[in-house]
């Protein structure tokens, strides 16, 4: 007479299910940890990049002696765009940038852009608008430096190290990534901002 060991069979099934559940739980935990780590990494990138823009605004406004010499700040009568745009020496927009250099409208747009993008990134609000404004700004600055040129208009070496990729494009891509991933929710006011009625009605403000 055959003896069927149903007890061992059921025990094996239960052990298999337990192992499967444990593996699934471990996988979910690892995924959650990776997601949280990614959110913190993006938040850190957001705050750091925001400080880059905000510091540029502060230094050009008050002349802290870094990129802007002391006494040459915007509040001292200096122009935030005259030195950079006036020294453009390559590219198809060279003469256009020379015309813009030192113009009041260019100074105001540039400085308000730096301030707005910096505050938005650090606070974690309006990242879509900051990404658009920042990408336009970075594209114009890329055009001003014109990395494809090996020589300047006077024939001297341009000292360009890459014909396409430079930090302006990296910043632009980082801004787009931060906006696309909603990186303002971690270490920022992104959730609170998104919950405001006027932001809900105008999703482009998120």
């Amino acid at each position: 007479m055959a003896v069927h060991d149903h007890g061992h069979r059921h025990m094996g099934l239960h052990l298999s299910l337990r192992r499967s559940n444990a593996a699934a739980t471990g996988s979910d935990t690892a995924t959650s940890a990776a997601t949280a780590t990614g959110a913190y990494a993006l938040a850190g990138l957001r705050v750091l990049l925001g400080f880059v823009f905000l510091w540029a605004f502060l230094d050009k406004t008050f002349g802290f002696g870094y990129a802007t010499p002391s006494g040459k700040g915007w509040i001292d009568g200096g122009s935030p765009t005259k030195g950079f745009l006036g020294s453009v020496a390559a590219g198809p927009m060279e003469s256009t940038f020379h015309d813009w250099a030192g113009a009041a409208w260019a100074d105001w747009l540039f400085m308000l852009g730096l301030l707005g993008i910096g505050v938005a990134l650090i606070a974690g609000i309006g990242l879509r608008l900051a990404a658009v404004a920042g990408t336009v700004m970075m594209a114009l600055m890329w055009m001003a430096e014109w990395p494809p040129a090996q020589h300047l208009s006077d024939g001297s070496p341009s000292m360009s190290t890459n014909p396409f990729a430079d930090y302006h494009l990296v910043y632009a891509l980082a801004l787009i990534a931060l906006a696309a991933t909603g990186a303002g929710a971690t270490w920022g006011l992104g959730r609170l901002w998104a919950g405001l009625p006027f932001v809900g009605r105008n999703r482009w403000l998120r």
Side-chain angles (χ1 to χ4, degrees):
M1 184 175 70
V3 177
H4 300 286
D5 193 354
H6 296 294
H8 287 296
R9 190 170 295 176
H10 288 312
M11 185 180 296
L13 178 61
H14 289 318
L15 288 174
S16 177
L17 287 173
R18 286 175 184 173
R19 288 184 187 131
S20 298
N21 290 336
T25 301
S27 177
D28 291 343
T29 301
T31 301
S32 298
T35 301
T37 301
Y40 292 135
L42 286 172
L45 174 63
R46 191 198 79 234
V47 174
L48 185 62
L49 189 56
F51 184 71
V52 170
F53 282 90
L54 185 59
W55 176 257
F57 168 80
L58 294 173
D59 184 56
K60 292 179 185 301
T61 299
F62 301 105
F64 289 144
Y66 288 86
T68 306
S70 179
K72 299 291 186 180
W74 198 22
I75 62 171
D76 301 310
S79 170
T81 62
K82 187 174 183 179
F84 177 64
L85 294 182
S87 63
V88 172
M93 293 185 65
E94 179 179 349
S95 60
T96 301
F97 285 132
H98 289 171
D99 292 338
W100 292 357
W105 65 267
D107 289 344
W108 276 96
L109 280 179
F110 180 56
M111 295 299 281
L112 289 177
L114 290 176
L115 176 62
I117 295 167
V119 170
L121 289 173
I122 291 175
I125 61 176
L127 296 185
R128 293 181 181 180
L129 188 58
V132 172
T135 298
V136 171
M137 181 184 292
M138 292 299 102
L140 287 171
M141 294 180 75
W142 185 90
M143 291 285 290
E145 293 198 2
W146 197 244
Q150 292 181 316
H151 297 87
L152 302 179
S153 54
D154 63 0
S156 61
S158 67
M159 306 304 291
S160 175
T161 58
N162 191 297
F164 177 71
D166 76 341
Y167 69 97
H168 295 107
L169 299 186
V170 174
Y171 285 175
L173 185 59
L175 287 167
I176 294 170
L178 292 171
T181 56
T186 303
W187 296 344
L189 304 175
R191 285 195 181 92
L192 181 63
W193 176 259
L196 296 177
F198 73 93
V199 176
R201 292 191 299 269
N202 302 278
R203 297 177 65 86
W204 57 273
L205 289 174
R206 291 190 177 184

